[in-house]
Amino acid sequence: RLNADGSELLMATYLSGSQRDYATDITQDPSGDLYVVGHTRSPDFPVSALAYDTSHNGGPDSWLAKLSADGSTLKYGTFFGGHAEDKHERVALDHLGHVCMAGETTSSNFPTTPNAYGQSFAGGSDLYVAKFDRQSGALVCSSMIGGGDGDVLGAFAVDRAGNMIV
């Protein structure tokens, strides 16, 4: 974290395992807690005891981490993905503070929730959107979106009603 004019480092921390780890987006809530997403090949990437998924699933897996405002504490960390390539690209908070994410997957067993718009892999690479509860970290919803060829995430936003837009 840098100050407003970029002249002073206010906070820095490491968040990684033993392999290649990438952070692709970050946001913060009103209390200053940080939400970071990315992808990793590290089977030992830091996750929390109550994580949605505590084990690496193969290929690069997506991950979500919630850090304290000063970066000293991992409040929540989870893997999220299937057996192939999964990459979180963007993160945003909805009007209730739930964590919304979007990314890309080539996993035919990517986790989706009942009644999701897209529950099966269409081929190539598909987009996905997911939402995690702000308090418990439980998966609220997850859906895949795509056609038979490669789909690439261009932009992601969450509107005032909590709808995820890709």
Side-chain angles (χ1 to χ4, degrees):
R1 188 177 301 222
L2 298 172
N3 68 353
D5 69 4
S7 65
E8 182 182 355
L9 179 65
L10 302 175
M11 181 272 291
T13 191
Y14 289 100
L15 182 65
S16 68
S18 60
Q19 303 293 315
R20 291 185 179 188
D21 308 302
Y22 300 92
T24 55
D25 202 11
I26 188 170
T27 193
Q28 72 177 18
D29 64 20
S31 69
D33 285 345
L34 302 170
Y35 298 84
V36 188
V37 296
H39 51 278
T40 182
R41 290 189 180 273
S42 298
D44 58 347
F45 193 84
V47 295
S48 53
L50 298 176
Y52 168 78
D53 186 353
T54 59
S55 60
H56 188 262
N57 299 294
D61 266 2
S62 295
W63 55 266
L64 160 67
K66 178 181 179 179
L67 300 170
S68 60
D70 66 2
S72 67
T73 304
L74 176 66
K75 292 187 168 186
Y76 179 79
T78 190
F79 288 106
F80 188 62
H83 70 282
E85 292 192 23
D86 310 300
K87 296 181 178 180
H88 277 334
E89 300 291 342
R90 301 288 179 258
V91 63
L93 302 179
D94 73 7
H95 64 294
L96 299 173
H98 298 311
V99 185
C100 303
M101 297 166 298
E104 301 166 9
T105 184
T106 61
S107 295
S108 59
N109 65 338
F110 192 84
T112 58
T113 51
N115 301 319
Y117 168 77
Q119 295 184 353
S120 60
F121 182 67
S125 63
D126 285 354
L127 304 180
Y128 67 84
V129 294
K131 185 180 290 192
F132 286 83
D133 182 86
R134 67 184 172 97
Q135 296 293 334
S136 68
L139 182 63
V140 174
C141 65
S142 176
S143 181
M144 296 188 349
I145 305 164
D149 290 329
D151 300 296
V152 178
L153 182 66
F156 177 65
V158 179
D159 69 16
R160 287 187 245 173
N163 298 310
M164 296 175 281
I165 305 163
V166 292

